[in-house]
Amino acid sequence: MADKIKNAKIVFVVGGPGSGKGTQCEKIVAKYGYTHLSSGDLLRAEVASGSERGKQLQAIMQKGELVPLDTVLDMIKDAMIAKADVSKGYLIDGYPREVKQGEEFEKKIGAPALLLYIDAKGETMVKRLMKRGETSGRADDNEETIKKRLDLYYKATEPVIAFYEQRGIVRKINSELPVDEVFAIVEKAIDELK
Ligand SMILES: Nc1nc2c(ncn2[C@@H]2O[C@H](COP(=O)(O)OP(=O)(O)OP(=O)(O)O)[C@@H](O)[C@H]2O)c(=O)[nH]1
Ligand SMILES: Nc1ccn([C@@H]2O[C@H](COP(=O)(O)OP(=O)(O)O)[C@@H](O)[C@H]2O)c(=O)n1
Ligand SMILES: [Mg+2]
């Protein structure tokens, strides 16, 4: 079962909240046909289902904290298996959030071939999320939760980048530029994989 996805290309897409991970992933899907799995979207779908587990997740996400590791990892794994027959590669967006999440992913699923590090300044991310919050309906796109998400990003997620840098698979992408210019850099990184 998990064997099916062992040979697939796995790309981690990591960056702060509102750095533009989702935006770039959509463009990668359109050009390369990869399967996009946003850990945040998977969690929000569970919340929307109204399940008991969803209610617990909602409370954690509203505070900008991290949900238990196993919960996210199981969701990602199930979603990967569901697409195993048709997938050219996987974009794992918003995961790992901490080094331990990366280690567990590798134990249960496989190793990433590339980590796209979507990098924007803190103030840029806050500005984008406040703007997105005007229309997104996301409960965590508010000033207080954004600040917590950002703090947690610097504390827990930036070490993930250092961890994979040692392996030489990190490509840092400056996402202060306009979307299409950012994508031009992303394309180069993906093309290197072939
Ligand atoms: N100028 C500029 N704006 C961008 C870029 N990428 C995204 N944005 C804007 O920033 C906002 C956040 O982008 P998302 O792609 O949703 O960010 P994300 O990293 O997926 O954020 P989370 O869902 O919070 O993880 C969007 O509303 C975009 O309009 C970019 O490369 N340049
Ligand atoms: N791997 C993950 C991904 C998301 N989450 C939770 O889901 C929320 C939204 O995640 P997201 O990736 O859509 O958004 P950002 O936090 O990057 O803005 C996070 O703030 C966490 O509460 C998590 O706990 N673990
Ligand atoms: Mg996103």
Side-chain angles (χ1 to χ4, degrees), residues 9-27:
K9 272 178 207 149
I10 295 171
V11 177
F12 285 161
V13 184
V14 177
S19 57
K21 303 180 293 290
T23 302
Q24 292 302 319
C25 283
E26 263 178 46
K27 296 182 79 73

mmCIF file with all atom_site columns, all heavy atoms in Angstrom, residues 9-27:
data_model
loop_
_atom_site.group_PDB
_atom_site.id
_atom_site.type_symbol
_atom_site.label_atom_id
_atom_site.label_alt_id
_atom_site.label_comp_id
_atom_site.label_asym_id
_atom_site.label_entity_id
_atom_site.label_seq_id
_atom_site.pdbx_PDB_ins_code
_atom_site.Cartn_x
_atom_site.Cartn_y
_atom_site.Cartn_z
_atom_site.occupancy
_atom_site.B_iso_or_equiv
_atom_site.pdbx_formal_charge
_atom_site.auth_seq_id
_atom_site.auth_comp_id
_atom_site.auth_asym_id
_atom_site.auth_atom_id
_atom_site.pdbx_PDB_model_num
ATOM 1   N N   . LYS A 1 9  ? 7.853  11.232 -6.461  1.00 0.00 ? 9  LYS A N   1
ATOM 2   C CA  . LYS A 1 9  ? 8.614  12.410 -6.042  1.00 0.00 ? 9  LYS A CA  1
ATOM 3   C C   . LYS A 1 9  ? 7.838  13.164 -4.979  1.00 0.00 ? 9  LYS A C   1
ATOM 4   O O   . LYS A 1 9  ? 6.659  13.470 -5.163  1.00 0.00 ? 9  LYS A O   1
ATOM 5   C CB  . LYS A 1 9  ? 8.824  13.334 -7.234  1.00 0.00 ? 9  LYS A CB  1
ATOM 6   C CG  . LYS A 1 9  ? 10.069 12.986 -7.997  1.00 0.00 ? 9  LYS A CG  1
ATOM 7   C CD  . LYS A 1 9  ? 10.217 13.882 -9.198  1.00 0.00 ? 9  LYS A CD  1
ATOM 8   C CE  . LYS A 1 9  ? 10.993 13.148 -10.248 1.00 0.00 ? 9  LYS A CE  1
ATOM 9   N NZ  . LYS A 1 9  ? 10.602 13.543 -11.590 1.00 0.00 ? 9  LYS A NZ  1
ATOM 10  N N   . ILE A 1 10 ? 8.518  13.484 -3.917  1.00 0.00 ? 10 ILE A N   1
ATOM 11  C CA  . ILE A 1 10 ? 7.869  14.211 -2.826  1.00 0.00 ? 10 ILE A CA  1
ATOM 12  C C   . ILE A 1 10 ? 8.552  15.559 -2.649  1.00 0.00 ? 10 ILE A C   1
ATOM 13  O O   . ILE A 1 10 ? 9.772  15.629 -2.518  1.00 0.00 ? 10 ILE A O   1
ATOM 14  C CB  . ILE A 1 10 ? 7.949  13.397 -1.517  1.00 0.00 ? 10 ILE A CB  1
ATOM 15  C CG1 . ILE A 1 10 ? 7.138  12.100 -1.656  1.00 0.00 ? 10 ILE A CG1 1
ATOM 16  C CG2 . ILE A 1 10 ? 7.435  14.227 -0.341  1.00 0.00 ? 10 ILE A CG2 1
ATOM 17  C CD1 . ILE A 1 10 ? 7.319  11.129 -0.513  1.00 0.00 ? 10 ILE A CD1 1
ATOM 18  N N   . VAL A 1 11 ? 7.746  16.612 -2.688  1.00 0.00 ? 11 VAL A N   1
ATOM 19  C CA  . VAL A 1 11 ? 8.265  17.964 -2.501  1.00 0.00 ? 11 VAL A CA  1
ATOM 20  C C   . VAL A 1 11 ? 7.601  18.579 -1.269  1.00 0.00 ? 11 VAL A C   1
ATOM 21  O O   . VAL A 1 11 ? 6.374  18.695 -1.216  1.00 0.00 ? 11 VAL A O   1
ATOM 22  C CB  . VAL A 1 11 ? 7.975  18.846 -3.739  1.00 0.00 ? 11 VAL A CB  1
ATOM 23  C CG1 . VAL A 1 11 ? 8.460  20.273 -3.508  1.00 0.00 ? 11 VAL A CG1 1
ATOM 24  C CG2 . VAL A 1 11 ? 8.617  18.259 -4.991  1.00 0.00 ? 11 VAL A CG2 1
ATOM 25  N N   . PHE A 1 12 ? 8.404  18.944 -0.288  1.00 0.00 ? 12 PHE A N   1
ATOM 26  C CA  . PHE A 1 12 ? 7.873  19.694 0.853   1.00 0.00 ? 12 PHE A CA  1
ATOM 27  C C   . PHE A 1 12 ? 7.830  21.177 0.484   1.00 0.00 ? 12 PHE A C   1
ATOM 28  O O   . PHE A 1 12 ? 8.802  21.708 -0.062  1.00 0.00 ? 12 PHE A O   1
ATOM 29  C CB  . PHE A 1 12 ? 8.778  19.546 2.075   1.00 0.00 ? 12 PHE A CB  1
ATOM 30  C CG  . PHE A 1 12 ? 8.688  18.218 2.794   1.00 0.00 ? 12 PHE A CG  1
ATOM 31  C CD1 . PHE A 1 12 ? 9.709  17.820 3.652   1.00 0.00 ? 12 PHE A CD1 1
ATOM 32  C CD2 . PHE A 1 12 ? 7.590  17.384 2.647   1.00 0.00 ? 12 PHE A CD2 1
ATOM 33  C CE1 . PHE A 1 12 ? 9.640  16.607 4.344   1.00 0.00 ? 12 PHE A CE1 1
ATOM 34  C CE2 . PHE A 1 12 ? 7.514  16.168 3.334   1.00 0.00 ? 12 PHE A CE2 1
ATOM 35  C CZ  . PHE A 1 12 ? 8.537  15.786 4.183   1.00 0.00 ? 12 PHE A CZ  1
ATOM 36  N N   . VAL A 1 13 ? 6.705  21.839 0.787   1.00 0.00 ? 13 VAL A N   1
ATOM 37  C CA  . VAL A 1 13 ? 6.600  23.276 0.557   1.00 0.00 ? 13 VAL A CA  1
ATOM 38  C C   . VAL A 1 13 ? 6.440  23.952 1.920   1.00 0.00 ? 13 VAL A C   1
ATOM 39  O O   . VAL A 1 13 ? 5.420  23.791 2.589   1.00 0.00 ? 13 VAL A O   1
ATOM 40  C CB  . VAL A 1 13 ? 5.410  23.608 -0.363  1.00 0.00 ? 13 VAL A CB  1
ATOM 41  C CG1 . VAL A 1 13 ? 5.382  25.104 -0.677  1.00 0.00 ? 13 VAL A CG1 1
ATOM 42  C CG2 . VAL A 1 13 ? 5.496  22.801 -1.666  1.00 0.00 ? 13 VAL A CG2 1
ATOM 43  N N   . VAL A 1 14 ? 7.507  24.651 2.314   1.00 0.00 ? 14 VAL A N   1
ATOM 44  C CA  . VAL A 1 14 ? 7.559  25.198 3.670   1.00 0.00 ? 14 VAL A CA  1
ATOM 45  C C   . VAL A 1 14 ? 7.745  26.709 3.599   1.00 0.00 ? 14 VAL A C   1
ATOM 46  O O   . VAL A 1 14 ? 8.467  27.223 2.744   1.00 0.00 ? 14 VAL A O   1
ATOM 47  C CB  . VAL A 1 14 ? 8.745  24.559 4.447   1.00 0.00 ? 14 VAL A CB  1
ATOM 48  C CG1 . VAL A 1 14 ? 8.873  25.172 5.835   1.00 0.00 ? 14 VAL A CG1 1
ATOM 49  C CG2 . VAL A 1 14 ? 8.566  23.048 4.559   1.00 0.00 ? 14 VAL A CG2 1
ATOM 50  N N   . GLY A 1 15 ? 7.081  27.408 4.491   1.00 0.00 ? 15 GLY A N   1
ATOM 51  C CA  . GLY A 1 15 ? 7.230  28.860 4.568   1.00 0.00 ? 15 GLY A CA  1
ATOM 52  C C   . GLY A 1 15 ? 6.268  29.373 5.621   1.00 0.00 ? 15 GLY A C   1
ATOM 53  O O   . GLY A 1 15 ? 5.379  28.644 6.071   1.00 0.00 ? 15 GLY A O   1
ATOM 54  N N   . GLY A 1 16 ? 6.413  30.622 5.995   1.00 0.00 ? 16 GLY A N   1
ATOM 55  C CA  . GLY A 1 16 ? 5.563  31.181 7.038   1.00 0.00 ? 16 GLY A CA  1
ATOM 56  C C   . GLY A 1 16 ? 4.113  31.290 6.588   1.00 0.00 ? 16 GLY A C   1
ATOM 57  O O   . GLY A 1 16 ? 3.797  31.110 5.404   1.00 0.00 ? 16 GLY A O   1
ATOM 58  N N   . PRO A 1 17 ? 3.234  31.589 7.527   1.00 0.00 ? 17 PRO A N   1
ATOM 59  C CA  . PRO A 1 17 ? 1.823  31.785 7.191   1.00 0.00 ? 17 PRO A CA  1
ATOM 60  C C   . PRO A 1 17 ? 1.667  32.953 6.226   1.00 0.00 ? 17 PRO A C   1
ATOM 61  O O   . PRO A 1 17 ? 2.222  34.024 6.467   1.00 0.00 ? 17 PRO A O   1
ATOM 62  C CB  . PRO A 1 17 ? 1.171  32.094 8.547   1.00 0.00 ? 17 PRO A CB  1
ATOM 63  C CG  . PRO A 1 17 ? 2.289  32.574 9.428   1.00 0.00 ? 17 PRO A CG  1
ATOM 64  C CD  . PRO A 1 17 ? 3.504  31.841 8.963   1.00 0.00 ? 17 PRO A CD  1
ATOM 65  N N   . GLY A 1 18 ? 0.987  32.720 5.127   1.00 0.00 ? 18 GLY A N   1
ATOM 66  C CA  . GLY A 1 18 ? 0.779  33.793 4.153   1.00 0.00 ? 18 GLY A CA  1
ATOM 67  C C   . GLY A 1 18 ? 1.980  34.077 3.277   1.00 0.00 ? 18 GLY A C   1
ATOM 68  O O   . GLY A 1 18 ? 2.000  35.065 2.534   1.00 0.00 ? 18 GLY A O   1
ATOM 69  N N   . SER A 1 19 ? 2.975  33.214 3.293   1.00 0.00 ? 19 SER A N   1
ATOM 70  C CA  . SER A 1 19 ? 4.160  33.456 2.466   1.00 0.00 ? 19 SER A CA  1
ATOM 71  C C   . SER A 1 19 ? 3.853  33.210 0.989   1.00 0.00 ? 19 SER A C   1
ATOM 72  O O   . SER A 1 19 ? 4.576  33.686 0.115   1.00 0.00 ? 19 SER A O   1
ATOM 73  C CB  . SER A 1 19 ? 5.320  32.562 2.919   1.00 0.00 ? 19 SER A CB  1
ATOM 74  O OG  . SER A 1 19 ? 4.938  31.203 2.881   1.00 0.00 ? 19 SER A OG  1
ATOM 75  N N   . GLY A 1 20 ? 2.791  32.450 0.710   1.00 0.00 ? 20 GLY A N   1
ATOM 76  C CA  . GLY A 1 20 ? 2.411  32.183 -0.687  1.00 0.00 ? 20 GLY A CA  1
ATOM 77  C C   . GLY A 1 20 ? 2.585  30.735 -1.099  1.00 0.00 ? 20 GLY A C   1
ATOM 78  O O   . GLY A 1 20 ? 2.675  30.432 -2.283  1.00 0.00 ? 20 GLY A O   1
ATOM 79  N N   . LYS A 1 21 ? 2.592  29.842 -0.139  1.00 0.00 ? 21 LYS A N   1
ATOM 80  C CA  . LYS A 1 21 ? 2.740  28.415 -0.438  1.00 0.00 ? 21 LYS A CA  1
ATOM 81  C C   . LYS A 1 21 ? 1.607  27.921 -1.335  1.00 0.00 ? 21 LYS A C   1
ATOM 82  O O   . LYS A 1 21 ? 1.828  27.286 -2.365  1.00 0.00 ? 21 LYS A O   1
ATOM 83  C CB  . LYS A 1 21 ? 2.747  27.587 0.873   1.00 0.00 ? 21 LYS A CB  1
ATOM 84  C CG  . LYS A 1 21 ? 3.828  27.989 1.852   1.00 0.00 ? 21 LYS A CG  1
ATOM 85  C CD  . LYS A 1 21 ? 3.785  27.138 3.113   1.00 0.00 ? 21 LYS A CD  1
ATOM 86  C CE  . LYS A 1 21 ? 2.559  27.334 3.986   1.00 0.00 ? 21 LYS A CE  1
ATOM 87  N NZ  . LYS A 1 21 ? 2.507  28.641 4.682   1.00 0.00 ? 21 LYS A NZ  1
ATOM 88  N N   . GLY A 1 22 ? 0.380  28.214 -0.904  1.00 0.00 ? 22 GLY A N   1
ATOM 89  C CA  . GLY A 1 22 ? -0.791 27.745 -1.656  1.00 0.00 ? 22 GLY A CA  1
ATOM 90  C C   . GLY A 1 22 ? -0.823 28.312 -3.067  1.00 0.00 ? 22 GLY A C   1
ATOM 91  O O   . GLY A 1 22 ? -1.154 27.611 -4.026  1.00 0.00 ? 22 GLY A O   1
ATOM 92  N N   . THR A 1 23 ? -0.466 29.582 -3.200  1.00 0.00 ? 23 THR A N   1
ATOM 93  C CA  . THR A 1 23 ? -0.466 30.250 -4.501  1.00 0.00 ? 23 THR A CA  1
ATOM 94  C C   . THR A 1 23 ? 0.503  29.568 -5.463  1.00 0.00 ? 23 THR A C   1
ATOM 95  O O   . THR A 1 23 ? 0.172  29.274 -6.617  1.00 0.00 ? 23 THR A O   1
ATOM 96  C CB  . THR A 1 23 ? -0.073 31.732 -4.319  1.00 0.00 ? 23 THR A CB  1
ATOM 97  O OG1 . THR A 1 23 ? -1.000 32.350 -3.422  1.00 0.00 ? 23 THR A OG1 1
ATOM 98  C CG2 . THR A 1 23 ? -0.063 32.472 -5.641  1.00 0.00 ? 23 THR A CG2 1
ATOM 99  N N   . GLN A 1 24 ? 1.717  29.286 -4.998  1.00 0.00 ? 24 GLN A N   1
ATOM 100 C CA  . GLN A 1 24 ? 2.710  28.646 -5.864  1.00 0.00 ? 24 GLN A CA  1
ATOM 101 C C   . GLN A 1 24 ? 2.331  27.191 -6.152  1.00 0.00 ? 24 GLN A C   1
ATOM 102 O O   . GLN A 1 24 ? 2.532  26.701 -7.267  1.00 0.00 ? 24 GLN A O   1
ATOM 103 C CB  . GLN A 1 24 ? 4.120  28.734 -5.236  1.00 0.00 ? 24 GLN A CB  1
ATOM 104 C CG  . GLN A 1 24 ? 4.674  30.153 -5.185  1.00 0.00 ? 24 GLN A CG  1
ATOM 105 C CD  . GLN A 1 24 ? 4.754  30.816 -6.558  1.00 0.00 ? 24 GLN A CD  1
ATOM 106 O OE1 . GLN A 1 24 ? 5.120  30.196 -7.554  1.00 0.00 ? 24 GLN A OE1 1
ATOM 107 N NE2 . GLN A 1 24 ? 4.393  32.098 -6.625  1.00 0.00 ? 24 GLN A NE2 1
ATOM 108 N N   . CYS A 1 25 ? 1.771  26.515 -5.163  1.00 0.00 ? 25 CYS A N   1
ATOM 109 C CA  . CYS A 1 25 ? 1.383  25.115 -5.378  1.00 0.00 ? 25 CYS A CA  1
ATOM 110 C C   . CYS A 1 25 ? 0.353  24.999 -6.497  1.00 0.00 ? 25 CYS A C   1
ATOM 111 O O   . CYS A 1 25 ? 0.437  24.105 -7.339  1.00 0.00 ? 25 CYS A O   1
ATOM 112 C CB  . CYS A 1 25 ? 0.834  24.504 -4.088  1.00 0.00 ? 25 CYS A CB  1
ATOM 113 S SG  . CYS A 1 25 ? 2.138  24.073 -2.913  1.00 0.00 ? 25 CYS A SG  1
ATOM 114 N N   . GLU A 1 26 ? -0.619 25.920 -6.513  1.00 0.00 ? 26 GLU A N   1
ATOM 115 C CA  . GLU A 1 26 ? -1.625 25.902 -7.582  1.00 0.00 ? 26 GLU A CA  1
ATOM 116 C C   . GLU A 1 26 ? -0.977 25.994 -8.952  1.00 0.00 ? 26 GLU A C   1
ATOM 117 O O   . GLU A 1 26 ? -1.378 25.327 -9.904  1.00 0.00 ? 26 GLU A O   1
ATOM 118 C CB  . GLU A 1 26 ? -2.563 27.103 -7.429  1.00 0.00 ? 26 GLU A CB  1
ATOM 119 C CG  . GLU A 1 26 ? -3.856 26.791 -6.719  1.00 0.00 ? 26 GLU A CG  1
ATOM 120 C CD  . GLU A 1 26 ? -4.698 28.055 -6.563  1.00 0.00 ? 26 GLU A CD  1
ATOM 121 O OE1 . GLU A 1 26 ? -4.833 28.802 -7.557  1.00 0.00 ? 26 GLU A OE1 1
ATOM 122 O OE2 . GLU A 1 26 ? -5.193 28.291 -5.441  1.00 0.00 ? 26 GLU A OE2 1
ATOM 123 N N   . LYS A 1 27 ? 0.040  26.831 -9.043  1.00 0.00 ? 27 LYS A N   1
ATOM 124 C CA  . LYS A 1 27 ? 0.710  27.017 -10.335 1.00 0.00 ? 27 LYS A CA  1
ATOM 125 C C   . LYS A 1 27 ? 1.535  25.782 -10.711 1.00 0.00 ? 27 LYS A C   1
ATOM 126 O O   . LYS A 1 27 ? 1.635  25.432 -11.887 1.00 0.00 ? 27 LYS A O   1
ATOM 127 C CB  . LYS A 1 27 ? 1.573  28.284 -10.304 1.00 0.00 ? 27 LYS A CB  1
ATOM 128 C CG  . LYS A 1 27 ? 0.730  29.551 -10.132 1.00 0.00 ? 27 LYS A CG  1
ATOM 129 C CD  . LYS A 1 27 ? 1.558  30.816 -10.148 1.00 0.00 ? 27 LYS A CD  1
ATOM 130 C CE  . LYS A 1 27 ? 1.943  31.256 -11.541 1.00 0.00 ? 27 LYS A CE  1
ATOM 131 N NZ  . LYS A 1 27 ? 0.797  31.814 -12.295 1.00 0.00 ? 27 LYS A NZ  1
#
